[in-house]
Structure formats: C-alpha cells, structure tokens
Amino acid sequence: MFEKLYSPVEKLKLAAFNKLFVKRDDLIDPYISGNKWRKLKYILAKAEAENKNHLVTFGGTYSNHLVATAAAASRSGLKSTAFVRGEKVKNEMLLLCELFGMYLIFTDRESYKDKPALFEKYFKSDVSAYFIDEGGASTEAVIGCSEIIDELNDVYDHIFCAAGTGTTAAGLLDGIVKNNLKTKLHVVPVLKNGIFIKEEISKYIPKIENLVLHTDYHFGGYAKTTPELFKFIKDFTANTGLLIDPVYTAKMFYAITDLQLKKVIKSDDKILAIHTGGLLGIFGMKDKF
Ligand SMILES: *Cc1c(COP(=O)(O)O)cnc(C)c1O
C-alpha cells in the first residue's frame, strides 16, 4: 500500500500566474488521501515493527485522518478504533470509517482533551494497541512528509501548504533544509491565531529561516467559511479543473491568489502548491455551496 505512489506535478492554468504548479498528493488515494498517506506511512511501519495490530486514534466527526487511518488499517490487516469528538452522529465520513471496519467511540469534548488518558483507560490491557495522535502528528509523520521534497525534479521559489497541526509543514521544511534549498515555505494555517504553528514546526525543525507564515486566511477559524470562500472554490474549480476543499486547500489557494494580487509573490515566481487531498470534506458542506 505504501509502495506505489502516484503524485505528479502539474502546471495550473490560472491567468495571473505563469509558473504555478501543483503537487497532486490528492491523487495518491481517494481515502488515504494526500498528506494523510504521507503521515501514516512510517506510523504504520513503526506499529507493525512493534507487533501492534490495533491502531487507536482521535479525530472530529469530519476528520480526513480517521477515514485514512481506517482505510490504511483494513488494507494492512490491522484493527482500528477511533475516539470521535462530540455526541454520536452519522455522516459520510464516519460511514466510510465504519465500512473500513473502524470501531468508533464517541467522546464528550472534555474527556476528548486528554488523549493519553483515554488511551490508558480503554486500552491499558490491550498489548496490541498503538496510539496515534490526532491528525497523525508525530516524528514519523514529519519524515513521511519530507519525502514530498525529495520527489521534486525542479526547484521552486515558493512552496505553499495548508496547516492544521503543522506536521506537514514541518516535514516540508525538513525536506527543504536537508536538500539545501533556498525555497521559501509559505504556510497557511486554517485555524485562528495560527501563529502557534511556528512553535509546532520548531518542535521538529530547529532551522526555520525559510518559513513564512500567513495567518490571515483562516476565514473565521477551523472549518469556518464565508460566501466569498465558496465563490472562490467554484470559480477556481471551474477555471482549473482542480477540486479543492473548503477546510484546507481552498484557504491555501485563496492565499496564493491574494498574495499575488498584493504583489507579495510575482507572476513569474515559480510556485508549487501542495494539494494535500481531503476532498471528501466537500460533502460535509454541500448545503453551503
Ligand atoms: C489534515 C489535513 C491538512 C493539515 O495537515 P497538518 O499536518 O495537520 O498541518 C491539510 N490539508 C488536508 C487536505 C488535510 O486533510
């Protein structure tokens, strides 16, 4: 499952840009999508090396990470359990999780905050259980994401990614530093007060000179949107043929477009946007389009 990889770099046809490219990690797999595949690659290798056959993880009701973990577990012959934040609900994402055989434990928001305690409480006696943090945040995930840079055949002035936990960004920066590139890494936090992403990245990567953080493109916070963002998605997808999701990649592409308008980046700069996948998230917001 983690051997085959299909993630081409494609040129994007947008009038304002001459050299805008996209790394299509969304094409890697429909369910183990984008950066979640990158993150799980070495997490699963470690779990298997430790003879753990039961993945236990955490996420919200629309978590791409949960679907990816469930799919990866079932394909690897492993069991999976997820603590899902909040009251019991049914939706498209959780349906997929259950189809992939994931056992869901709905958890009130207060208990959800202490993930190690939940793991301890439920799986103390299960020697096969393997703890995976929310979103897959881990050193293994950083290593997996740094391979995105190793795969590139060209050098770019700017690389852009969306950030939730900042793990993917940390991996990209790791790759940039290791390959001695001058490329600037532009990170677009999708949460409010995204400045915390800088600290998250510094936990993994001490050298952050190439990092540029754009904290004004969260559209109100995590999974928050505005009519302007939906209009942007419709125009962008109609013009490029590329699907993007309202939670992550739309905010990143909006930032790229806006920074070009503001002349922070130039039309002739060579730019690579990382499409981190997560397209199933569109269906969670179908009524807002
Ligand atoms: C999870 C996710 C992210 C956030 O990745 P982090 O490593 O947590 O910053 C970005 N884009 C998509 C599509 C995602 O599903």
Side-chain angles (χ1 to χ4, degrees):
M1 173 180 66
F2 289 106
E3 300 84 51
K4 63 178 162 67
L5 176 71
Y6 181 68
S7 170
V9 171
E10 291 174 357
K11 188 160 193 261
L12 210 59
K13 287 197 179 67
L14 267 186
F17 298 91
N18 298 325
K19 297 174 204 156
L20 174 57
F21 298 84
V22 188
K23 175 84 167 143
R24 297 291 309 272
D25 269 16
D26 58 311
L27 296 178
I28 293 176
D29 190 279
Y31 307 108
I32 314 172
S33 173
N35 63 345
K36 302 306 185 283
W37 185 96
R38 303 276 181 187
K39 289 171 152 192
L40 286 168
K41 181 176 178 183
Y42 292 111
I43 292 176
L44 259 73
K46 187 158 182 248
E48 287 177 335
E50 293 178 13
N51 285 318
K52 309 280 191 187
N53 59 21
H54 182 189
L55 307 179
V56 177
T57 194
F58 306 82
T61 51
Y62 270 97
S63 166
N64 294 320
H65 166 69
L66 291 190
V67 177
T69 306
S74 57
R75 286 189 218 171
S76 310
L78 307 173
K79 283 206 304 180
S80 65
T81 297
F83 290 93
V84 185
R85 186 180 56 236
E87 274 128 59
K88 184 166 180 177
V89 289
K90 283 192 159 197
N91 68 34
E92 302 86 343
M93 304 290 270
L94 296 174
L95 168 65
L96 288 169
C97 289
E98 291 194 294
L99 288 175
F100 286 122
M102 180 176 254
Y103 182 69
L104 305 178
I105 304 174
F106 291 90
T107 311
D108 68 86
R109 282 159 198 276
E110 202 44 47
S111 318
Y112 184 85
K113 285 181 188 156
D114 193 346
K115 298 175 185 70
L118 282 170
F119 184 78
E120 177 77 9
K121 184 172 163 199
Y122 284 79
F123 298 105
K124 195 178 173 177
S125 56
D126 181 353
V127 292
S128 68
Y130 188 79
F131 177 97
I132 303 175
D133 208 343
E134 186 170 42
S138 60
T139 309
E140 289 73 34
V142 172
I143 298 167
C145 291
S146 78
E147 292 182 349
I148 297 172
I149 303 294
D150 302 335
E151 284 164 23
L152 301 177
N153 294 322
D154 279 318
V155 176
Y156 298 87
D157 300 309
H158 311 282
I159 293 181
F160 276 82
C161 75
T165 64
T167 316
T168 303
L172 292 168
L173 193 60
D174 187 39
I176 287 171
V177 173
K178 275 192 195 144
N179 287 284
N180 283 316
L181 302 174
K182 291 201 177 72
T183 309
K184 291 266 179 260
L185 178 69
H186 296 260
V187 178
V188 180
V190 301
L191 297 88
K192 227 188 264 180
N193 305 321
I195 191 77
F196 80 93
I197 292 285
K198 201 172 200 163
E199 278 156 50
E200 288 303 310
I201 294 175
S202 317
K203 282 186 199 162
Y204 298 105
I205 316 297
K207 196 174 175 300
I208 60 164
E209 287 88 77
N210 295 28
L211 174 69
V212 188
L213 208 56
H214 300 283
T215 54
D216 293 333
Y217 297 102
H218 55 73
F219 290 83
Y222 182 72
K224 296 282 194 302
T225 57
T226 65
E228 192 191 3
L229 186 67
F230 285 107
K231 181 173 187 311
F232 176 80
I233 294 173
K234 285 191 218 165
D235 290 347
F236 181 91
T237 298
N239 288 333
T240 63
L242 191 68
L243 284 170
I244 53 178
D245 80 291
V247 180
Y248 294 104
T249 47
K251 293 182 182 179
M252 171 189 68
F253 277 112
Y254 187 99
I256 296 174
T257 309
D258 193 53
L259 291 166
Q260 188 277 329
L261 275 175
K262 290 179 174 151
K263 310 247 185 281
V264 179
I265 50 176
K266 296 183 213 81
S267 298
D268 274 332
D269 287 352
K270 197 164 173 182
I271 305 161
L272 182 70
I274 310 297
H275 196 315
T276 39
L279 293 171
L280 296 169
I282 293 174
F283 300 111
M285 299 206 186
K286 57 183 180 299
D287 301 331
K288 292 197 176 178
F289 279 93

